[in-house]
Amino acid sequence: MTGPGGARSLQEVLRQRQGSEFVGRRQQCDAFRANLRAPVAERKFVFGLHGQAGIGKTFLLRQLREISLQHSALVAVTDDNESNLVRVLAAIARQLAGQGGEARKFAQRFADYEQRHDEVLSDPQAPSEARELVMATAVRFGLGVVRAAAPGLGPVADAVPPERVQEWVEQCRGYLARRFGSQADVRLLLSPVEELTPCLVDDLRKIAHHRQLVVLFDNYERTAEVVEPWLLRLLHGYYGELPLGLVLGVAGQHPLDFNNWGEFSSILVSWRLDPFTAEESRTLLGRKGVRDPELADVILELSGGLPLLLAGLAESGDDDVHDPTGMAVARFLNFVPEQESRDDAVLAALPRVLDEDVLAVLSEPARAVGLFRWLRERPFVHEDHGRLKYHHVVREKMVRYERGRAPRRFRRRHQDLADHFRQRREELGLPGDSCWFDWEWRMLLVEEFYHRLCSAAHRWLPEALHHCATACGIEAEPAVHAWLDAFAAAARDSATGAVVACARDLQRFAIPGGSVDRAELQRYLRKRLDQAGFGQVVGARSVVSGGEPENRVVLDTADQDFFGGGEQGSAPVIGE
């Protein structure tokens, strides 16, 4: 029985329907299709896809698989579901066999391996070292604990001390020789990848006489530690000559390292996948049934053009998408199963820029490194000069969500972050007013007072305005822009009426074209501070010392509504 389009299975129907919904990446699909038709002299043999999580690498890989099948090629796809290299080889052979490309030599040798493997594990006379050694290849990629520990030895767990490996090998070699009486079987159990790969390569050469072959590796950022050395040895011909009809594809978050892959540049294509354009995004939304232009605009802004978020938000329903807090946070964290990780992601949105030191303030210091790596893989986070930044729409939603669900914790976290940036300023050890001419010191001061305004605006607003006035006297316009941006961000993120009114008042000194009238802004700030009865300070020294500066700007109690509004004033938040 065949279905529409000649489909012979439910999976083929699914692939056809997914293909009909596929949007974007036409350039890559056309190039891959043309490559399959090209003469050998013009063909590329390795395709590297890379891009941030949620960018659609897996979906594109599925399209390349479908294109390959349409051109009568045999296709195998593996990812981090295969627990080790031996299972990767087996998965490739199994998938090719299911399409009519039987890898007979490999299948027989792999059956021998599994039988010998099981015999060792079930033998009560087997030394414990032998059982542990043959079990070591069952370690999963996702744990990041597999490596090649010794020459001639297959992947073993990092938990095995390297100095014990050679001792284990010698003990096991003697036992295995007695148990099976064959050096070939000993090599098969001690070095399964080295023994099985030549068999698979030999089978691939035979199959390639009749059909093209395409082997694809997904989630490469999780498997490269183990798969990449094997792939490079494969391309070097270590396991035998590869057929001309073979095409390899890898998809991961990071581009292939030129130090490892540079020598293969003549046969390699590297594709960086970018977020969808507005046109591509609207096309995808239309195919998902989103017809309302206003709703489409909301989804485009929330998703940042990431296909995964576009599809998820399109399927969430009209009412959900217009919810400015809970729905947005839930959607962005939809693929994070652990509650602790979801909480981490929300708290990590509070600082405007993230590094491991900042994360150590928000979580246990021992978890900061792992949390930093985890956040790097989130589709709503991008890396900028080694630091992380949330997509601005995502961050705004998460900050508002956290502010609403735990206001006291929200203010306390911002106070902790402010103290962290103050400490980093002090550690620079800059003397006196010279600190104002150091870019790093100025930026740390801006971040400190952004967090102080979010934690206790009425306590710190006068001093923040004083620092802004001081920055106006520095011959560096970006320093003033940084303060205006910090006021605007604190107004939006804290929803404090006084900061909202202040930020709006200061924006009038921004000149069209991007510059700031620094002289007028400085005169205005000093005049307002004097007229409102705020205390005076001497230069910049008021913020250099730790703790509570003795000569910090002090608010006169006669005028606590300098810009109007209470601690949580009624003025609408900037950006809403």
Side-chain angles (χ1 to χ4, degrees):
M1 176 180 179
T2 59
R8 292 172 293 183
S9 69
L10 184 150
Q11 286 72 27
E12 286 190 51
V13 171
L14 177 62
R15 289 197 301 270
Q16 289 176 0
R17 293 180 181 177
Q18 288 175 334
S20 67
E21 296 179 352
F22 190 74
V23 174
R25 317 304 185 202
R26 287 299 156 202
Q27 181 179 356
Q28 290 86 354
C29 289
D30 290 344
F32 190 80
R33 189 178 289 107
N35 189 73
L36 292 175
R37 300 170 179 163
V40 171
E42 303 173 7
R43 190 175 300 173
K44 299 293 184 180
F45 296 92
V46 180
F47 288 79
L49 291 65
H50 67 277
Q52 62 180 304
I55 203 68
K57 300 181 293 295
T58 295
F59 206 17
L60 177 56
L61 217 61
R62 291 175 185 168
Q63 281 302 111
L64 300 186
R65 180 184 189 276
E66 187 62 27
I67 291 170
S68 302
L69 293 173
Q70 291 170 0
H71 285 75
S72 300
L74 303 181
V75 189
V77 183
T78 74
D79 56 23
D80 55 337
N81 286 316
E82 278 68 56
S83 59
N84 53 60
L85 266 177
V86 173
R87 297 301 165 188
V88 169
L89 298 176
I92 293 171
R94 182 179 66 254
Q95 292 177 52
L96 296 180
Q99 300 163 43
E102 188 72 35
R104 293 185 176 86
K105 186 174 182 180
F106 173 85
Q108 180 57 56
R109 197 64 178 136
F110 179 67
D112 292 341
Y113 166 76
E114 287 200 306
Q115 180 180 343
R116 303 293 186 268
H117 180 276
D118 292 344
E119 288 179 16
V120 171
L121 295 184
S122 61
D123 183 2
Q125 303 301 318
S128 60
E129 292 84 358
R131 286 195 293 271
E132 291 187 48
L133 198 56
V134 298
M135 288 177 64
T137 55
V139 178
R140 296 189 59 80
F141 284 139
L143 299 178
V145 293
V146 235
R147 58 180 169 79
L153 180 64
V156 298
D158 273 339
V160 180
E163 61 271 13
R164 295 187 59 193
V165 170
Q166 194 58 42
E167 178 185 348
W168 279 18
V169 171
E170 295 307 319
Q171 292 175 351
C172 292
R173 195 182 301 277
Y175 160 75
L176 295 173
R178 294 190 301 273
R179 179 72 173 78
F180 299 112
S182 166
Q183 287 302 314
D185 285 341
V186 173
R187 291 194 302 270
L188 182 61
L189 286 170
L190 290 182
S191 305
V193 174
E194 304 300 304
E195 291 295 307
L196 291 170
T197 304
C199 297
L200 181 61
V201 170
D202 192 41
D203 287 328
L204 294 180
R205 284 198 301 268
K206 294 176 182 177
I207 297 170
H209 287 308
H210 311 286
R211 305 275 291 275
Q212 289 194 83
L213 300 168
V214 177
V215 181
L216 305 173
F217 300 86
D218 200 4
N219 294 337
Y220 197 63
E221 69 277 1
R222 294 171 64 85
T223 65
E225 183 180 357
V226 175
V227 171
E228 185 162 279
W230 174 77
L231 270 179
L232 293 172
R233 287 160 73 86
L234 195 70
L235 291 169
H236 277 118
Y238 184 85
Y239 303 112
E241 297 295 311
L242 296 175
L244 292 173
L246 174 66
V247 173
L248 302 173
V250 299
Q253 291 185 16
H254 314 295
L256 296 176
D257 187 346
F258 183 80
N259 292 324
N260 296 330
W261 293 88
E263 62 183 298
F264 302 111
S265 58
S266 62
I267 63 169
L268 186 150
V269 174
S270 182
W271 289 333
R272 187 189 73 181
L273 303 186
D274 295 315
F276 277 2
T277 64
E279 181 181 356
E280 290 172 332
S281 298
R282 292 184 186 280
T283 300
L284 175 60
L285 294 178
R287 295 186 182 181
K288 293 289 185 181
V290 178
R291 304 283 184 251
D292 180 1
E294 182 181 354
L295 177 58
D297 289 341
V298 173
I299 295 177
L300 259 63
E301 179 66 11
L302 286 173
S303 68
L306 289 176
L308 185 65
L309 291 181
L310 277 168
L313 291 169
E315 294 168 357
S316 66
D318 292 14
D319 294 336
D320 285 343
V321 171
H322 283 101
D323 174 10
T325 53
M327 181 286 305
V329 174
R331 284 290 164 181
F332 291 127
L333 301 178
N334 189 44
F335 300 98
V336 182
E338 301 85 5
Q339 181 62 46
E340 183 180 35
S341 295
R342 290 197 293 270
D343 291 340
D344 285 339
V346 174
L347 286 178
L350 297 183
R352 299 196 297 173
V353 178
L354 283 170
D355 55 34
E356 289 180 9
D357 293 336
V358 171
L359 288 174
V361 177
L362 298 169
S363 65
E364 294 293 330
R367 297 183 57 239
V369 174
L371 180 55
F372 185 86
R373 292 174 180 170
W374 179 81
L375 285 169
R376 286 179 66 181
E377 300 177 358
R378 299 309 99 199
F380 47 81
V381 177
H382 71 274
E383 190 167 356
D384 182 18
H385 295 92
R387 295 182 174 183
L388 304 183
K389 288 187 177 182
Y390 276 53
H391 185 283
H392 70 95
V393 174
V394 178
R395 181 178 178 274
E396 289 174 17
K397 303 300 180 185
M398 289 190 178
V399 169
R400 195 178 309 172
Y401 175 75
E402 178 64 13
R403 187 185 74 218
R405 73 171 179 172
R408 292 179 62 191
R409 181 175 63 193
F410 177 84
R411 291 191 291 271
R412 186 173 65 252
R413 292 287 189 180
H414 277 292
Q415 181 62 49
D416 292 341
L417 289 164
D419 292 342
H420 167 76
F421 285 107
R422 174 185 57 78
Q423 182 179 355
R424 285 169 65 165
R425 282 194 302 105
E426 292 173 355
E427 289 172 354
L428 294 178
L430 299 174
D433 291 350
S434 65
C435 54
W436 278 97
F437 300 94
D438 183 86
W439 178 88
E440 182 180 1
W441 186 94
R442 293 198 306 269
M443 292 305 101
L444 290 171
L445 180 67
V446 170
E447 292 307 310
E448 174 189 341
F449 273 84
Y450 158 75
H451 290 294
R452 295 205 186 284
L453 291 176
C454 288
S455 66
H458 277 255
R459 181 182 179 188
W460 296 104
L461 181 57
E463 192 166 342
L465 293 172
H466 166 73
H467 296 321
C468 182
T470 304
C472 289
I474 306 293
E475 291 299 321
E477 190 164 287
V480 183
H481 272 295
W483 278 103
L484 296 185
D485 290 343
F487 280 116
R492 180 187 61 245
D493 297 340
S494 72
T496 303
V499 185
V500 171
C502 171
R504 284 184 171 153
D505 199 39
L506 298 183
Q507 283 301 315
R508 61 194 175 92
F509 293 96
I511 301 172
S515 60
V516 177
D517 190 337
R518 289 179 290 158
E520 283 300 315
L521 175 58
Q522 186 180 53
R523 278 194 291 271
Y524 169 78
L525 288 173
R526 287 177 174 172
K527 181 179 179 181
R528 286 297 302 267
L529 287 167
D530 288 342
Q531 290 176 343
F534 291 98
Q536 298 299 307
V537 297
V538 180
R541 292 187 179 90
S542 61
V543 294
V544 176
S545 61
E548 294 289 337
E550 293 182 0
N551 54 346
R552 58 180 291 270
V553 179
V554 179
L555 174 65
D556 190 316
T557 57
D559 192 358
Q560 293 194 15
D561 288 325
F562 181 50
F563 282 100
E567 186 66 27
Q568 293 294 329
S570 59
V573 178
I574 292 176
E576 288 188 338

